[in-house]
Amino acid sequence: MVLRQVAAAFPDWPRSEVERVAQAAYANLGRTVVEAAVLSRVGSRELLALFDGVDGWHHVEEALAGGRGLLLVAGHLGNWELAGAYLAARGVPVDAIARHMANPHVDGYITRTRERLGMRIVHDERAVREVPRAVRGNRAVGMLVDQGAAGLASTWVKFFGRWAKTPRGPATFALRLQAPVVFTAAIRQPDGRFRMMLEPVPVHPTGDREADVDRIVADYTATLERWVRRTPEQYFWHHRRWKHQRPGTPPELGEP
């Protein structure tokens, strides 16, 4: 599956490059899992020492200075567990929207670790109620936006040229709450440390709510794709990103 998805995303690549990136993606996933497992022993100072710097920090400062909170969108790129923890370590009040994990023991461990690092965890079923409260309290709310969501919680946008079912929650909240949106990623560097990347996603209401939501979702998905193209070895190709199929999709553009 990983090989098929990488090949579909980069159709011009030779098989050798597809195999190299797929293998490297497994290595990155292994490192990310180990890093997440040992985060429970790390303090804020040690966590910040894992980073060699940050690009775009002013976007966070400007958003919070505006008093309307901040919506952080991210994908499963680099080490996604470190992204929210980095902001919390720098004193930003962070709520992280999370799904329950199938194993309750692992779910509890990860939740306790995230909370010890300064994040407040909000599970999916409470997001509709808690996200507006957090944003109105001028907090940052982090959401992963590259896994298919069911029904009205998602919309169809292009990801690497194929229609992908994509969460629309951040776009809906941004319009409803007039909150800024910033894309974030903790990118692994050659020396093993990380670089924090922060990039604004435009939110310009036109009065057509559905069209505005679709445009914002497409924009943050395009931003993620651009970063994945820079570091494809650090993306989570292990998830069936095109599992859901848009009606009428031709076979050659369906799930790889």
Side-chain angles (χ1 to χ4, degrees):
M1 182 188 69
V2 171
L3 289 168
R4 289 197 308 269
Q5 293 198 137
V6 174
F10 300 95
D12 297 332
W13 281 4
R15 179 70 177 186
S16 59
E17 181 66 3
V18 171
E19 292 179 348
R20 183 193 70 79
V21 167
Q23 188 173 41
Y26 271 96
N28 184 73
L29 177 60
R31 293 189 182 98
T32 299
V33 169
V34 172
E35 288 160 351
V38 301
L39 275 179
S40 62
R41 308 175 190 173
V42 174
S44 295
R45 183 177 299 178
E46 294 170 294
L47 190 144
L48 292 175
L50 297 175
F51 289 79
D52 68 3
V54 55
D55 294 335
W57 184 253
H58 63 284
H59 298 305
V60 173
E61 294 179 323
E62 290 169 3
L64 296 180
R68 292 185 174 176
L70 169 62
L71 296 168
L72 298 165
V73 294
H76 289 80
L77 177 66
N79 186 323
W80 52 92
E81 284 292 330
L82 286 180
Y86 175 87
L87 273 79
R90 292 203 50 177
V92 175
V94 177
D95 285 19
I97 308 302
R99 294 181 179 181
H100 288 285
M101 302 183 102
N103 186 317
H105 300 290
V106 175
D107 187 69
Y109 175 82
I110 295 295
T111 297
R112 290 191 300 272
T113 298
R114 290 166 172 167
E115 290 175 340
R116 196 186 67 79
L117 290 169
M119 292 179 282
R120 187 165 67 185
I121 304 305
V122 177
H123 287 108
D124 279 353
E125 68 272 13
R126 295 170 44 226
V128 172
R129 177 180 300 175
E130 295 297 332
V131 170
R133 290 178 178 174
V135 169
R136 290 174 181 134
N138 205 30
R139 298 177 64 85
V141 179
M143 290 173 265
L144 290 164
V145 294
D146 61 342
Q147 291 191 343
L152 297 177
S154 63
T155 192
W156 295 104
V157 296
K158 290 284 187 74
F159 185 57
F160 284 92
R162 295 169 185 262
W163 292 107
K165 199 79 163 165
T166 305
R168 60 188 277 148
T172 302
F173 285 126
L175 292 168
R176 174 184 165 192
L177 303 170
Q178 301 180 19
V181 179
V182 171
F183 176 85
T184 180
I187 302 297
R188 193 182 306 277
Q189 302 300 296
D191 65 358
R193 298 173 76 196
F194 294 87
R195 188 84 180 173
M196 190 68 172
M197 308 296 184
L198 297 157
E199 184 176 330
V201 176
V203 178
H204 300 303
T206 66
D208 186 335
R209 178 61 62 92
E210 287 303 307
D212 290 343
V213 167
D214 288 350
R215 187 186 64 256
I216 295 168
V217 176
D219 283 345
Y220 59 61
T221 301
T223 303
L224 172 62
E225 179 178 326
R226 179 159 35 82
W227 279 101
V228 173
R229 288 185 179 278
R230 295 181 187 182
T231 56
E233 302 89 348
Q234 297 189 38
Y235 190 58
F236 186 64
W237 297 103
H238 314 75
H239 168 69
R240 291 172 60 194
R241 186 64 186 93
W242 296 279
K243 173 175 62 177
H244 302 289
Q245 289 294 291
R246 190 186 193 200
T249 298
E252 64 272 18
L253 293 178
E255 183 178 24

